[in-house]
Amino acid sequence: QIGGALKPITLEIYNDSHKHAHHKAMQGVTSREQLTSFSLVITSTDFKGKPQLARHRMVNSLMKDELAKEGGIHALQLTTRTPEEEE
């Protein structure tokens, strides 16, 4: 979804699940597949002229189903930049 909507120049995805395994929401979860905590680094021209909060809202709206569903993403850290900010 992100790739098609934002046409990112850079899209890096990091699985940070191990950092969140101790959180209350993750207690009793034994499957590593259920630990869904990620960091995303996204560079897109669509972010030009938008503050960080607006950029994060753009990404969160694309990820809303995954963030809302049971067993979906537990934590999502975003780094959003324009091509000029990446340089």
Side-chain angles (χ1 to χ4, degrees):
Q1 288 181 333
I2 290 173
L6 297 176
K7 300 172 197 70
I9 295 163
T10 302
L11 176 58
E12 299 172 12
I13 303 169
Y14 301 95
N15 183 343
D16 294 335
S17 298
H18 64 282
K19 296 179 184 178
H20 298 268
H22 65 282
H23 290 187
K24 187 173 183 169
M26 297 288 101
Q27 288 178 354
V29 174
T30 56
S31 169
R32 290 212 177 265
E33 293 176 6
Q34 288 181 289
L35 300 177
T36 54
S37 302
F38 298 95
S39 295
L40 301 180
V41 178
I42 306 166
T43 304
S44 173
T45 57
D46 289 357
F47 295 144
K48 285 185 180 182
K50 294 180 176 66
Q52 286 295 325
L53 184 57
R55 297 173 186 188
H56 288 206
R57 285 181 176 151
M58 290 169 68
V59 175
N60 285 334
S61 71
L62 294 170
M63 301 290 296
K64 68 181 176 190
D65 291 341
E66 191 61 33
L67 290 165
K69 80 177 184 181
E70 182 78 26
I73 294 175
H74 166 68
L76 184 62
Q77 179 180 343
L78 300 173
T79 302
T80 56
R81 346 177 248 226
T82 65
E84 293 78 16
E85 292 168 339
E86 186 175 53
E87 291 178 0

